[in-house]
Amino acid sequence: MESTNEEFYQVIVVGAGVSGLAAARNLLKNGVTNILILEATSKPGGRVETLKFGKASDRNEAGLIEVGAQWIHGEQNEFCQILKASNHRHSKTSWEGKGDFICPNGMKVEDDMVDEVLGWLEEAIEKVEATFSIETIQKEKNGERISEENMSMGEHLHEGFLAYMAESYPDLMEGSSDYDLRMGLFQWGMSFQRIDNSCNKMNDVSLYRWSEFEVNPGEHYNNFRKGAQSFVNEVLVGDILHSFILYNSPVKNIAWNDSGVIITTKDGSSFSAQTTLVTCSIGVLKSNLDSFFTPSLPEKQAKAIRCTGFGPVTKIFLEWTNPWWSPDFKGVQLVWPKEYIDCCNGKIAQGEQNLEQTWHKTITGFDPVLDNHNVLLAWLGGPEAVHAEILPKDIIANRCVEVLRDFIRSKNIPNPVSATVSTWNTNEYFQGAYSFRSTEGDVITGDICSALCDPVTTNNLHETNKPVIVLAGEALSKSHYSTLHGAYESGIAQSSKLVQYFNSYSSLIKSPIARAKFSTNEQLKDSIQPFSIRADEDAKFAVPIAKNIRVPS
């Protein structure tokens, strides 16, 4: 391999998202300072993006919206502890999916029925977490895996709810108003789950890997005091990482062999390194797997990438000159009896309709936005989310206000003055929102995350396994995938493998036995020059960490 770039880096980090920034800081903290971060876009943070939009609730200035990652779920994780220690955690928490559940004719669904159906769904999901695991369908016998016929999360919940309806309401006829209303509420719950899992349909989500995800203890909706982008810029990038990041440098190809890697960007530039830590989204890796690496990744890693789910979520923010809702407004949730989208299999309940006619029926509801008194937020999932991203904003705004007027039964709701729509799904550098564990992954024995996390290695001159390609990102967190803290933890854990290798390698080439393997005139192309951070600078590299919080290893 040849490179036009003169400098030979120890590590090139691909992607300046949360995982890439965490990895870079960890490398610097541990003395690996000859690094470069290649970022495809013009800003750090990856799937983090904060915009000024609307009006702040308590002051006469612009409000903030989180177009990308919005919350830190849970408090007992390293990422939330950093948020607190840096004074970037908001004093208020928020919510989603609250308020009245209303039908298109303005009828409010009785609270007892809402509690019954959504309570059943919550209990059914808890039973899945306690009952099913990948081991229940994978058995080892003479080294060969035997798989029973597997079922998806969507199929399991849908069949379970139909059985519950038949047992609890044997006289309730399919097509009756009460039957359709309960099915509409169930599908609202499945639409919420489809967004929560970032999948096209719940039938794509593994039943047997559902329990791998662990809900982090503590408040579930922690907010950023000054916006997620401000936290990224001020804390994760800070005063240190700016000089290590090369923006607007999307990677086209990573060529690798036992000498290291040469990374080529889309503008034709190339950069050489001993190893690379790749943190771009699993969606980007899935769609570019055949061309991104030369030679191709080993089949173990490639298969794990192909079998990891990654899907769409879209946010719609609507701004009005003044709020038409009350100060204590919690939101309004939309139930579509007879016309619901079946989010288990992705089909419309009645009739053949296209996305142009049905995309708005996957909006679960309209929620208020923290500290933004004249903005409402709507979420979409599945193919409808992708379709909404390509629509003109005025079309989206008009359709949304039509829906609100129909459900609330008020023609006095004014047209929004502006709208903002996220575009993660149609952005070539992300191609979706976040990962989930798919039914395709059930074919992989045991922990799919282990295959993703294993470095691609080659044998170097001292016959040790040299990590050449290491992956990181939220999809590589076994129990916290799809979260910000999962992305952060993955960056720390995967970069720590490189730190460990560099430390071992440095010790090895200093030993008399290792030196004897080389002639006195031989130059090691991939030799390591260890760096140490001066004591007075060490604090700059260390992100503030609260006491008694374990750093992932």
Side-chain angles (χ1 to χ4, degrees):
M1 295 187 298
E2 295 183 358
S3 171
T4 59
N5 194 64
E6 294 182 0
E7 187 163 6
F8 189 70
Y9 298 93
Q10 280 182 276
V11 182
I12 292 178
V13 178
V14 178
V18 167
S19 189
L21 295 175
R25 295 195 73 100
N26 190 47
L27 291 169
L28 293 173
K29 242 174 74 172
N30 287 279
V32 184
T33 61
N34 187 18
I35 70 172
L36 175 68
I37 307 172
L38 295 175
E39 167 56 35
T41 71
S42 60
K43 68 170 189 62
R47 283 163 272 173
V48 165
E49 185 177 13
T50 307
L51 298 179
K52 290 184 177 181
F53 187 80
K55 294 179 182 179
S57 301
D58 57 353
R59 53 194 181 276
N60 189 24
E61 59 183 57
L64 298 177
I65 56 172
E66 301 291 5
V67 179
Q70 184 161 339
W71 295 301
I72 303 95
H73 296 300
E75 298 173 78
Q76 295 184 24
N77 61 78
E78 189 72 23
F79 194 81
C80 192
Q81 296 302 317
I82 295 170
L83 193 75
K84 295 176 183 178
S86 62
N87 197 30
H88 274 264
R89 186 194 187 195
H90 203 294
S91 60
K92 300 176 184 177
T93 57
S94 51
W95 62 84
E96 59 179 335
K98 290 190 176 182
D100 291 336
F101 284 71
I102 304 179
C103 298
N105 60 3
M107 183 190 79
K108 178 183 178 297
V109 185
E110 292 296 328
D111 292 342
D112 288 347
M113 185 181 290
V114 174
D115 292 342
E116 174 200 350
V117 174
L118 299 188
W120 178 91
L121 184 57
E122 182 179 359
E123 184 177 340
I125 290 174
E126 289 177 355
K127 287 181 180 178
V128 168
E129 294 169 352
T131 305
F132 294 92
S133 69
I134 195 65
E135 288 77 20
T136 62
I137 62 165
Q138 294 182 347
K139 301 176 182 178
E140 296 293 334
K141 184 177 180 180
N142 299 325
E144 294 184 3
R145 180 176 64 79
I146 302 175
S147 293
E148 301 171 7
E149 184 178 356
N150 55 329
M151 179 182 287
S152 70
M153 191 68 176
E155 291 170 305
H156 175 78
L157 293 175
H158 190 247
E159 291 183 9
F161 186 70
L162 291 179
Y164 165 78
M165 290 278 283
E167 180 180 355
S168 301
Y169 304 98
D171 298 327
L172 195 61
M173 300 295 294
E174 183 176 351
S176 66
S177 58
D178 275 1
Y179 182 93
D180 287 342
L181 194 54
R182 284 181 168 84
M183 286 303 300
L185 279 169
F186 171 75
Q187 287 300 336
W188 181 94
M190 298 308 291
S191 181
F192 190 95
Q193 287 295 326
R194 186 173 70 160
I195 293 168
D196 207 36
N197 288 275
S198 190
C199 59
N200 274 312
K201 54 185 185 294
M202 286 299 291
N203 285 6
D204 294 336
V205 178
S206 172
L207 171 68
Y208 299 95
R209 293 192 186 273
W210 183 273
S211 61
E212 291 180 351
F213 185 88
E214 297 177 3
V215 176
N216 195 258
E219 171 58 46
H220 197 60
Y221 294 101
N222 296 286
N223 294 287
F224 296 88
R225 185 171 63 87
K226 298 189 293 182
Q229 191 69 58
S230 176
F231 172 77
V232 167
N233 295 345
E234 296 179 16
V235 179
L236 294 188
V237 176
D239 297 328
I240 297 299
L241 288 189
H242 283 294
S243 60
F244 292 92
I245 304 175
L246 190 59
Y247 294 104
N248 300 308
S249 300
V251 170
K252 182 178 180 181
N253 180 258
I254 299 174
W256 59 281
N257 61 23
D258 56 3
S259 297
V261 298
I262 292 178
I263 298 180
T264 306
T265 57
K266 286 192 175 181
D267 67 0
S269 301
S270 60
F271 305 86
S272 301
Q274 290 176 296
T275 187
T276 182
L277 197 150
V278 180
T279 70
C280 50
S281 78
I282 207 76
V284 169
L285 292 180
K286 285 166 70 77
S287 63
N288 295 285
L289 196 55
D290 293 336
S291 62
F292 205 65
F293 299 98
T294 305
S296 299
L297 289 180
E299 180 57 22
K300 179 176 73 172
Q301 285 89 348
K303 185 176 182 180
I305 290 171
R306 289 193 295 267
C307 291
T308 298
F310 194 79
V313 172
T314 296
K315 292 180 176 182
I316 299 173
F317 294 90
L318 301 173
E319 178 190 8
W320 281 266
T321 303
N322 294 298
W324 47 265
W325 54 92
S326 64
D328 60 350
F329 179 72
K330 295 293 185 182
V332 57
Q333 309 308 318
L334 312 181
V335 182
W336 297 84
K338 297 183 181 295
E339 298 180 86
Y340 58 79
I341 304 294
D342 188 334
C343 293
C344 295
N345 58 35
K347 297 179 180 178
I348 188 75
Q350 290 186 1
E352 293 294 330
Q353 296 175 291
N354 57 35
L355 288 174
E356 189 69 34
Q357 298 171 298
T358 62
W359 69 265
H360 59 283
K361 295 182 181 180
T362 60
I363 295 175
T364 53
F366 294 86
D367 300 324
V369 177
L370 181 67
D371 290 344
N372 212 320
H373 82 122
N374 63 334
V375 174
L376 295 181
L377 164 62
W379 299 73
L380 297 92
E384 293 82 5
V386 181
H387 180 76
E389 289 188 357
I390 65 174
L391 294 175
K393 290 181 182 178
D394 60 333
I395 297 294
I396 290 177
N398 290 339
R399 181 61 61 86
C400 285
V401 80
E402 287 173 2
V403 169
L404 283 166
R405 288 169 181 166
D406 190 24
F407 276 74
I408 297 177
R409 306 307 289 174
S410 173
K411 295 182 179 180
N412 296 323
I413 298 176
N415 290 323
V417 294
S418 62
T420 292
V421 182
S422 64
T423 56
W424 303 109
N425 312 303
T426 51
N427 187 316
E428 64 175 316
Y429 302 133
F430 301 100
Q431 301 193 29
Y434 39 84
S435 65
F436 65 94
R437 296 295 179 248
S438 74
T439 53
E440 293 180 77
D442 290 345
V443 303
I444 295 180
T445 302
D447 180 11
I448 189 173
C449 190
S450 294
L452 290 169
C453 291
D454 277 352
V456 177
T457 62
T458 62
N459 290 328
N460 65 10
L461 292 176
H462 345 72
E463 300 175 356
T464 61
N465 286 333
K466 172 185 176 180
V468 179
I469 298 172
V470 179
L471 305 179
E474 52 86 10
L476 278 75
S477 174
K478 179 180 179 179
S479 56
H480 297 147
Y481 56 88
S482 78
T483 68
L484 282 170
H485 63 274
Y488 182 87
E489 292 167 354
S490 173
I492 297 292
Q494 293 298 87
S495 61
S496 293
K497 295 177 181 178
L498 295 181
V499 170
Q500 183 179 12
Y501 167 76
F502 288 150
N503 289 340
S504 300
Y505 186 88
S506 179
S507 300
L508 177 61
I509 64 175
K510 291 178 181 178
S511 70
I513 296 176
R515 287 202 306 268
K517 294 184 179 182
F518 305 95
S519 66
T520 56
N521 296 326
E522 186 172 12
Q523 299 293 321
L524 295 180
K525 180 178 180 182
D526 57 348
S527 64
I528 305 247
Q529 299 298 323
F531 292 83
S532 61
I533 301 172
R534 299 196 307 272
D536 61 338
E537 291 187 348
D538 188 61
K540 294 181 181 179
F541 292 92
V543 175
I545 296 175
K547 294 180 180 179
N548 302 322
I549 299 297
R550 183 177 66 85
V551 177
S553 58

